[in-house]
Amino acid sequence: MKFLVITYGCQMNVRDSEAVSALLARQGYTTAEGEADADIILINTCSVRGKAEAKALGKLGLLVADSRRHHPKRIIGVMGCMVQRLGTELFKKVPGLGFAIGTHAMSRLPRVLQDVFEGKAPVLDTDEGDDCEALTGHVEGKLSAYVNVLLGCDRRCTYCIVPTVRGQEWSRPAESVVAEVRELVAQGVCEVTLLGQSVMNYGRRNAVWPDGSVSPGGYETPFPRLLEAVDAVEGIQRVRFTSGHPSGCTAELVRAMVELPAVCEHLHIPCQSGSDLILERMRRGYTADQFKAAAGALQAALPGVALSTDIIVGFPGETEEDFDRTRAFMEEIGFDNAFIFKYSPRSGTPAAEWPDDVPDEEKKRRNQLLLGDQARRVEAINDALIGAQLEVLVEGPSLRNAARWSGRTRTNKVAVFDPVAGVARGECVTVVVERVTATTLYGKVS
Ligand code: 5AD
Ligand code: SF4
């Protein structure tokens, strides 16, 4: 039987889709080439904004209709955050679905499918108690892999549905994380990204080390210790982690980023707004100055560090003045990349009770302004890299022009260069940057 997984949402969803694909492959299912030859199509969904849900619901409706007409035996299933949020309501919204599994039910997918084969559709599983260790593994042949380290979220940002759909924070035991990274390296992976909603909170809720001893590098707090343990895995070339929060940017974390050779000079650290008033109403747990201090500590210790961020425009009560503060704040920090979102009320969150008083047109305008600022900023940042010698992890022929090769810098920028003899995929080379665009660095291997 052939399956296809279609993913919406964040890196956590990408990882979950890969884990579920690996699980099905171990069960003897094979990967379909596209929708046409798939016997099972599984959509992994996101609930973070209304638009993300609308997109997934639209796609599901189309798939169900197409299956009825052309593939009556095909099973359409849903997984992820939207399932956890909507439960059985989903079957009313999209009649004809075969099954829906929540964010804690992925390891039970084979059993759910069995129920569907036995004619029990639609089958819903939104129970707790996933077997995380059955959910490792990734797509073969990739150089880079995501590894879950912290599940759920304990922050209660007033706009955010994630704690509702992903549950309380829970840290995987450090041994399991390290064992998974070893396994990935044995399969040819060179780079891992450790995932958690507030990843630096790793180990705060549940113990993750068998004893309380200090690590060989002298790290005392759980997340820097974990970075050290992952960095020490033989053969791992690069370690990244996401998402950050200013409260996690401690002196020890900064020291780990400076000292550990595989840990890259790159961090995604959502700020959401540059206005203290809005930050307080969002319940982010920091002021603009505190965020600046955290970013400044990273920038001072790690020259050339690339910081990326998320911003929400049009949060309830966001005035022109608040917005101007955000603009100035982003400029001051000099973010390398920014994902800008229009505020979307999520029912059940505190902010959804407040008037959504910034009109959509205005949200759009603010969104466009920030995108324009960011494009100019990244051009200037990239311009300054002309002449620089950067370490690039070679990925192979470039997608646009197979005669050239591409890879990524430690700061996660795409670099394109002429292939050189004796250099293989998965090796690091030094590239001298000759020309840049907003998205790509072009150069020569030195
Ligand atoms: N509306 C708009 N954007 C949101 N995000 C989270 N919740 C909402 C919401 N209700 C954004 C935040 C977060 C990113 C993953 O999505 O910026 O960092
Ligand atoms: Fe990821 Fe949050 Fe969307 Fe879930 S709701 S897929 S955790 S961004």
Side-chain angles (χ1 to χ4, degrees), residues 10 48-49 159-161 268 270 272 284 310-312 339 341-346:
C10 64
V48 84
R49 281 169 294 278
Y159 52 81
C160 190
I161 195 72
H268 183 67
Q272 315 296 2
R284 289 291 295 167
D310 292 339
I311 302 278
I312 297 176
F339 301 88
F341 304 106
K342 290 188 292 170
Y343 171 69
S344 161
R346 308 310 293 137

Side-chain angles (χ1 to χ4, degrees), residues 163-445:
T164 315
V165 291
R166 293 239 175 210
Q168 280 191 335
E169 248 174 45
W170 185 80
S171 302
R172 265 179 86 192
E175 281 105 333
S176 309
V177 174
V178 172
E180 184 177 348
V181 175
R182 272 202 204 104
E183 181 64 26
L184 288 167
V185 169
Q187 291 170 24
V189 165
C190 309
E191 173 180 279
V192 288
T193 302
L194 309 180
L195 295 179
Q197 290 293 342
S198 277
V199 72
M200 295 137 160
N201 274 5
Y202 178 77
R204 287 203 196 163
R205 177 185 278 276
N206 57 311
V208 289
W209 302 95
D211 57 36
S213 62
V214 172
S215 77
Y219 299 105
E220 288 180 31
T221 47
F223 187 63
R225 279 193 72 170
L226 181 74
L227 284 179
E228 182 187 33
V230 171
D231 179 89
V233 169
E234 185 80 34
I236 193 74
Q237 300 196 46
R238 287 180 172 181
V239 179
R240 306 183 190 276
F241 50 97
T242 192
S243 291
H245 185 278
S247 63
C249 296
T250 57
E252 199 171 58
L253 187 274
V254 176
R255 179 163 76 84
M257 288 184 78
V258 171
E259 288 177 358
L260 301 173
V263 176
C264 292
E265 297 75 41
H266 166 228
L267 182 62
H268 183 67
I269 179 161
C271 69
Q272 315 296 2
S273 170
S275 153
D276 284 345
L277 224 83
I278 297 293
L279 286 171
E280 197 183 329
R281 287 218 296 275
M282 288 178 161
R283 218 188 288 151
R284 289 291 295 167
Y286 52 80
T287 60
D289 278 346
Q290 283 168 330
F291 190 101
K292 259 183 241 164
L298 292 167
Q299 287 166 329
L302 298 156
V305 66
L307 301 179
S308 59
T309 200
D310 292 339
I311 302 278
I312 297 176
V313 291
F315 188 75
E318 187 190 62
T319 61
E320 192 66 31
E321 211 185 351
D322 293 317
F323 174 68
D324 287 343
R325 289 213 172 94
T326 300
R327 276 187 97 173
F329 177 80
M330 290 177 73
E331 189 58 41
E332 212 175 316
I333 299 212
F335 288 111
D336 209 77
N337 198 0
F339 301 88
I340 324 279
F341 304 106
K342 290 188 292 170
Y343 171 69
S344 161
R346 308 310 293 137
S347 94
T349 61
E353 304 296 315
W354 308 332
D356 182 14
D357 55 1
V358 179
D360 198 52
E361 274 310 305
E362 181 58 19
K363 284 181 187 164
K364 256 190 215 149
R365 189 186 72 89
R366 293 181 189 179
N367 189 344
Q368 289 304 322
L369 282 172
L370 293 189
L371 286 175
D373 288 355
Q374 187 57 43
R376 279 191 293 280
R377 192 157 43 237
V378 73
E379 249 170 58
I381 291 174
N382 286 355
D383 271 350
L385 291 174
I386 292 176
Q389 300 199 3
L390 301 175
E391 181 198 290
V392 172
L393 177 65
V394 179
E395 284 167 17
S398 145
L399 285 180
R400 286 249 181 97
N401 174 0
R404 305 201 82 188
W405 278 24
S406 77
R408 278 182 190 263
T409 65
R410 290 173 64 91
T411 52
N412 213 27
K413 288 177 188 282
V414 175
V416 172
F417 49 93
D418 289 323
V420 283
V423 175
R425 195 169 174 265
E427 283 178 19
C428 284
V429 292
T430 302
V431 169
V432 185
V433 181
E434 294 173 332
R435 184 166 73 78
V436 299
T437 66
T439 54
T440 312
L441 314 177
Y442 296 88
K444 262 210 295 285
V445 173

